[in-house]
Amino acid sequence: MKKKFQEFDYNFYIRGIGHNMRYANDQSLTGYDITNQQARLLGEIYDRLESKLEISRRILSEAMGLSGPSVTSLLNGLEKKGFIIRHAGNEDGRTMQIEITDKAQKLVDETEDIFAGTEEKLLDDFSEEEKKIFLKLLKKAYKNLS
């Protein structure tokens, strides 16, 4: 028996928000030849390099909430499109050295604006108090599933 839609169907709204945000970001990124997921991963790599933190597929998988093979596929795409250059790590095959290209550096700055714009659109009619409550509830829900 198929479940009827209910006003408080959390899954519907949460999945819908996630889908709409990814779609909006993908649409804004089409001119850059990069997807929302690739841009998120590139941002994570950039942040880790700036903070001089270790980079491995496992660490990137955990940070992104993706499987190892998915991260590898995203890295392959970023490398093929000229956003990163990968080298084998010094210690063993599990670590890697990643360089951000000039093309990627420019993109990181611009994607921050794109992601911020999508977030602004999401929160458009929220009061400052509602934004604080919404963020608190999102963090709580995220923690519950982590």
Side-chain angles (χ1 to χ4, degrees):
M1 181 174 182
K2 191 171 183 177
K3 179 181 162 185
K4 283 186 171 181
F5 174 76
Q6 298 175 5
E7 182 180 350
F8 297 108
D9 188 351
Y10 299 108
N11 189 45
F12 171 82
Y13 289 106
I14 292 168
R15 289 179 63 203
I17 290 167
H19 171 77
N20 290 342
M21 288 185 76
R22 277 188 307 278
Y23 181 77
N25 289 336
D26 278 337
Q27 292 302 111
S28 298
L29 292 167
T30 54
Y32 298 95
D33 191 31
I34 194 168
T35 66
N36 177 57
Q37 285 289 72
Q38 288 173 329
R40 282 186 57 229
L41 181 60
L42 185 60
E44 181 66 30
I45 292 166
Y46 176 82
D47 290 345
R48 294 192 74 75
L49 288 172
E50 287 292 300
S51 301
K52 301 197 184 322
L53 296 172
E54 177 187 358
I55 297 177
S56 70
R57 190 178 79 162
R58 180 187 56 79
I59 288 169
L60 294 174
S61 294
E62 289 171 6
M64 296 285 295
L66 298 171
S67 69
S70 293
V71 169
T72 297
S73 177
L74 290 170
L75 288 169
N76 290 341
L78 288 172
E79 190 169 35
K80 183 178 180 180
K81 293 177 181 180
F83 292 109
I84 63 169
I85 300 169
R86 286 188 287 182
H87 307 282
N90 297 335
E91 297 162 17
D92 60 40
R94 292 175 295 178
T95 61
M96 64 184 109
Q97 302 288 327
I98 297 179
E99 292 177 51
I100 299 282
T101 64
D102 290 340
K103 177 181 176 180
Q105 177 65 52
K106 182 177 183 245
L107 180 70
V108 166
D109 296 337
E110 294 179 25
T111 55
E112 287 179 13
D113 292 339
I114 290 170
F115 292 152
T118 303
E119 185 177 299
E120 282 178 31
K121 191 174 181 181
L122 172 73
L123 302 172
D124 188 39
D125 293 335
F126 283 48
S127 69
E128 290 305 312
E129 185 61 26
E130 288 171 327
K131 289 177 187 178
K132 289 177 187 175
I133 292 167
F134 186 57
L135 181 59
K136 182 179 179 182
L137 294 172
L138 285 172
K139 287 180 178 179
K140 191 173 190 177
Y142 184 83
K143 181 180 174 189
N144 287 345
L145 292 176
S146 295

